Amino acid sequence: MEKVYIGVRAVEMDYFKIPKSNDTVVKIYGVLDDEARREFLSYVNSSARVVERVRRDPEFLAPGDVAELVDVLRAKIPIRDVYYAWRIEYATLVAGRNETTAWGPVADLLVLDDADFVKLGREHLGIEVDPCSNTILLPSDYGNFFKNGQVVEAFVPLGWYGVSKNTARAFLHANMQLRVEVLKIGMSGDAVGFIGRCFAESFTDLPPDRSYVVIEAPEKTAIYINRKLYELRYTKALERLAADKNATRYIKYYEDSLERIRKEIKTVEVELGIS
């Protein structure tokens, strides 16, 4: 029988007893299977080690790599603001609840530097949102689900340390209240929600590296930007694997992927009328 370690009641953690500026954390709870427990314990309190492991991924892109690509793309397509964010897996935003169930949409939670968070709110809400408040900024995709100013219950993962697909990703959660503000922009791709760094640091440590980029551009160019980012990822992977004599299969995979993505890029360039 598989061993499991289950927190049957709220976990008492001294860190979360310290008063916070927003005072929104209600409780922390967790469930870990044996594999997840081992991985979590090996990395807990050492986010730098997690980042070190992630950097060994052949497809790893540093913010500087993306910034260089954005500078090149600006000469071809209209790009406005670019935000680099920390990613804290997924948050479940609960709009309603009964005795047995809770439901609501899921947002990929991105943490912005406080100055960027204020700027985003000012440009797309017309107001400056306090980055230390318990406010989450959601794109207009959520406009049919939430109203501006609505307070929702959120289950936000804290156990981001896991790096394997089936282990300790988000096994510890914070249950808190968030005030929703709906932005006047939509988002292509995954649904996302933004919070300020000041608020995020009140309930969890952030990874040392910002691992997500949000690029403001016309919708028609989003596919092109996406494909160019994949081209960069595959190119970097091949550069890193070139010296590894045991990586033949991986090299072939990335060579094929790079060829495929470059064909797609040419097609999109024709559609957009760029070269």
Side-chain angles (χ1 to χ4, degrees), residues 170-190:
F171 280 88
L172 297 181
H173 289 70
N175 176 359
M176 63 185 66
Q177 304 295 313
L178 290 176
R179 183 178 184 273
V180 173
E181 290 287 353
V182 180
L183 300 170
K184 297 177 182 177
I185 55 173
M187 292 292 295
S188 299
D190 296 334

Side-chain angles (χ1 to χ4, degrees), residues 90-130:
Y90 291 93
T92 301
L93 309 175
V94 181
R97 158 189 297 277
N98 61 29
E99 292 181 357
T100 58
T101 62
W103 61 90
V106 174
D108 197 354
L109 199 63
L110 304 183
V111 183
L112 293 180
D113 274 322
D114 292 345
D116 286 343
F117 184 76
V118 171
K119 181 180 179 182
L120 191 70
R122 184 172 60 243
E123 290 190 357
H124 299 291
L125 287 173
I127 58 176
E128 290 192 0
V129 183
D130 180 2

Side-chain angles (χ1 to χ4, degrees), residues 46-56 60 160 207-209:
S46 182
S47 57
R49 288 181 60 192
V50 178
V51 172
E52 179 185 349
R53 181 167 174 178
V54 169
R55 282 175 174 165
R56 294 200 298 268
F60 171 75
W160 72 276
D209 275 4

Side-chain angles (χ1 to χ4, degrees), residues 88-239:
I88 314 184
E89 292 301 324
Y90 291 93
T92 301
L93 309 175
V94 181
R97 158 189 297 277
N98 61 29
E99 292 181 357
T100 58
T101 62
W103 61 90
V106 174
D108 197 354
L109 199 63
L110 304 183
V111 183
L112 293 180
D113 274 322
D114 292 345
D116 286 343
F117 184 76
V118 171
K119 181 180 179 182
L120 191 70
R122 184 172 60 243
E123 290 190 357
H124 299 291
L125 287 173
I127 58 176
E128 290 192 0
V129 183
D130 180 2
C132 296
S133 68
N134 60 323
T135 302
I136 182 170
L137 305 182
L138 297 173
S140 58
D141 308 58
Y142 289 89
N144 294 328
F145 208 98
F146 300 123
K147 298 178 181 178
N148 278 335
Q150 181 177 353
V151 175
V152 300
E153 187 174 19
F155 295 97
V156 182
L158 303 181
W160 72 276
Y161 299 91
V163 289
S164 299
K165 292 181 179 179
N166 61 342
T167 57
R169 279 183 181 271
F171 280 88
L172 297 181
H173 289 70
N175 176 359
M176 63 185 66
Q177 304 295 313
L178 290 176
R179 183 178 184 273
V180 173
E181 290 287 353
V182 180
L183 300 170
K184 297 177 182 177
I185 55 173
M187 292 292 295
S188 299
D190 296 334
V192 297
F194 304 94
I195 58 175
R197 181 174 184 176
C198 179
F199 169 65
E201 288 183 336
S202 74
F203 63 85
T204 186
D205 294 327
L206 293 173
D209 275 4
R210 288 175 290 182
S211 60
Y212 208 103
V213 62
V214 178
I215 301 173
E216 289 191 33
E219 185 176 356
K220 289 185 178 180
T221 61
I223 295 176
Y224 181 65
I225 294 172
N226 175 272
R227 298 300 187 269
K228 291 297 288 186
L229 283 168
Y230 271 100
E231 180 186 35
L232 179 61
R233 286 172 59 181
Y234 297 151
T235 301
K236 289 291 184 181
L238 285 171
E239 290 175 359

